[in-house]
Amino acid sequence: MLIDNHGRTVNYLRIAVTDRCNLRCFYCMPAEGIDYVPKKHLLSYEEMLRLVRILATMGISKVRITGGEPFVRKGIMDFILKLSQVEGIEQINLTTNGILTAPFIPQLLEMGIHSVNLSLDSLDKERFFKITRRDELHKVLDTLHLLVKNKVKTKINCVVMDGQNMEDILPMVNLAKEHDISVRFLEEMPFNGTGLRLQDFKWNFKNILAHIKQEFPNIYKIEDAPNSTSLNYKIEGFQGSIGLIPSFSRTFCGTCNRLRLTPQGMIKTCLYDDGVFNVKDLMRANLTNDELQTHILKAIGSRAKNGFEAEKNRKNQKGVSESMSTIGG
Ligand code: SAM
Ligand code: SF4
């Protein structure tokens, strides 16, 4: 088991397989995109698999594939297949924007994928375009319908943004009425590639809940899964559930069980840190698995207590400004 210096068990790895994306969500990256990492500086699938095999022997049993958009990287399905064959990896989850995802759903099911998080911030074509800068809502909705039809465990991630998608909150909640899905609302974080907030941070999880309560006063709290980042709720008569993710308030750090791997090979022990060490550089310098394990143990043994401490300890003191597509969420 991997246990950090605050007594938290770490058993979950999130892999951002690419920094490239086919959308341009304004809260994640600028309209012109970001400077993509040259291919040779990206971890290869083989390097990712090597790391996963090492981590699986150390206690990591759960993996999430994220990005950028995972489906824009060539060979992703073959990678997921190989990942599903690694001894000790019991659960594979996926986060996707749903643009290219639909045709792969049957294969993902065959590989035993555990759940899919689908990002969807608006059900309105024009607002979707304003947020993502692409006119592709219909593709995301097709993916959602196919996931539901195939009974894939599905969670929707909706970032709440003042002046952008407030009209969507209640229709989004209503998606959980007809479908057994979890609709989760995230606080916006400053990982937009500029570091500047485009609107005031008004919608923390408490205010989002109060907003939902006005329309659904009978919303009630349910038990959260261990290590859950979301606070979960039910509404009488609804098939699905509602979740609130305090991603900026950071109230969930006390039970954090995650490690992150960036497309360039940085190991992060907190979403808000700026990387602990680069595993790609060490692999390419021919370190052995035992030597890599030593670096991993050192990183786990000196984790920040929470996201505020991690942000304060950043080597780059300018604060959080990178694009979330270089981290994976
Ligand atoms: N491209 C995929 C997608 O959008 O689902 C996976 C990568 S994306 C970076 C992962 C998650 O991070 C998405 O649910 C997205 O909404 C969320 N995200 C990105 N930037 C964010 C920000 N500034 N604040 C809060 N959530 C953010
Ligand atoms: Fe792409 Fe996901 Fe970032 Fe949107 S949130 S730009 S879909 S990586």
Side-chain angles (χ1 to χ4, degrees):
M1 281 218 290
L2 275 173
I3 300 186
D4 77 8
N5 46 320
H6 302 284
R8 297 171 294 197
T9 300
V10 177
N11 60 1
Y12 177 20
L13 172 71
R14 300 174 61 103
I15 307 179
V17 292
T18 179
D19 57 349
R20 287 147 170 85
C21 191
N22 45 2
L23 294 184
R24 289 286 178 277
C25 307
F26 78 85
Y27 54 76
C28 180
M29 57 168 92
E32 64 280 11
I34 53 169
D35 292 333
Y36 289 137
V37 178
K39 279 217 174 89
K40 64 174 186 226
H41 296 313
L42 290 177
L43 272 180
S44 69
Y45 286 132
E46 260 324 304
E47 287 165 332
M48 290 182 219
L49 284 166
R50 180 177 170 200
L51 178 70
V52 172
R53 286 189 193 107
I54 295 172
L55 286 170
T57 66
M58 300 174 81
I60 296 286
S61 57
K62 189 174 154 188
V63 176
R64 174 170 301 279
I65 317 270
T66 173
E69 174 50 34
F71 289 98
V72 304
R73 183 154 178 183
K74 238 168 96 187
I76 185 69
M77 292 305 282
D78 190 44
F79 170 65
I80 299 176
L81 179 64
K82 288 188 175 132
L83 196 60
S84 71
Q85 294 162 348
V86 174
E87 209 182 311
I89 298 304
E90 292 161 9
Q91 199 186 97
I92 300 177
N93 305 284
L94 180 72
T95 302
T96 174
N97 63 25
I99 303 292
L100 301 170
T101 319
F104 298 106
I105 292 173
Q107 243 178 304
L108 289 168
L109 278 170
E110 267 171 43
M111 291 177 195
I113 199 103
H114 178 258
S115 73
V116 174
N117 287 7
L118 182 67
S119 300
L120 178 59
D121 305 313
S122 179
L123 294 168
D124 174 82
K125 189 174 152 68
E126 277 167 28
R127 281 195 295 275
F128 182 91
F129 179 77
K130 235 177 117 194
I131 294 168
T132 65
R133 303 176 176 118
R134 298 289 185 271
D135 184 17
E136 311 222 75
L137 174 63
H138 57 289
K139 294 186 183 160
V140 187
L141 294 179
D142 284 350
T143 295
L144 175 59
H145 292 141
L146 260 182
L147 288 168
V148 168
K149 193 171 146 204
N150 285 285
K151 298 192 173 18
V152 180
K153 189 169 171 333
T154 303
K155 297 176 191 169
I156 289 184
N157 282 354
C158 172
V159 180
V160 177
M161 296 159 283
D162 196 40
Q164 299 290 334
N165 64 347
M166 292 316 297
E167 299 93 326
D168 288 289
I169 305 307
L170 300 177
M172 284 280 185
V173 170
N174 267 314
L175 283 178
K177 185 173 187 181
E178 304 303 331
H179 307 299
D180 184 10
I181 59 178
S182 170
V183 178
R184 302 160 355 136
F185 298 99
L186 283 86
E187 294 175 352
E188 186 186 352
M189 296 173 268
F191 293 98
N192 55 20
T194 68
L196 302 171
R197 270 193 190 281
L198 302 178
Q199 62 273 316
D200 288 341
F201 177 61
K202 178 169 159 194
W203 293 100
N204 64 27
F205 68 104
K206 290 180 189 158
N207 292 342
I208 301 169
L209 179 62
H211 180 76
I212 296 173
K213 257 191 183 156
Q214 283 179 2
E215 182 71 16
F216 299 102
N218 56 349
I219 188 168
Y220 61 94
K221 184 83 187 68
I222 54 174
E223 202 177 322
D224 302 322
N227 311 108
S228 171
T229 52
S230 54
L231 301 160
N232 296 287
Y233 297 81
K234 272 281 222 187
I235 297 172
E236 213 63 65
F238 276 41
Q239 291 191 49
S241 61
I242 307 300
L244 300 172
I245 307 191
S247 33
F248 189 64
S249 304
R250 291 164 254 187
T251 52
F252 44 61
C253 302
T255 56
C256 180
N257 61 342
R258 293 136 200 255
L259 262 190
R260 289 179 163 80
L261 177 65
T262 74
Q264 305 189 56
M266 263 294 179
I267 293 279
K268 287 164 68 79
T269 58
C270 174
L271 177 61
Y272 284 84
D273 71 32
D274 52 359
V276 184
F277 70 93
N278 191 305
V279 73
K280 175 197 74 211
D281 293 347
L282 298 184
M283 283 181 182
R284 292 185 191 177
N286 294 323
L287 264 69
T288 64
N289 287 359
D290 284 350
E291 287 167 329
L292 292 174
Q293 279 201 7
T294 305
H295 283 269
I296 294 162
L297 288 172
K298 194 170 157 219
I300 299 286
S302 51
R303 276 181 98 200
K305 189 170 162 218
N306 55 41
F308 296 101
E309 190 177 299
E311 193 175 359
K312 198 171 114 246
N313 291 348
R314 284 167 75 96
K315 297 171 273 303
N316 169 2
Q317 279 296 314
K318 277 191 282 181
V320 169
S321 66
E322 57 270 41
S323 162
M324 192 67 94
S325 72
T326 65
I327 305 173

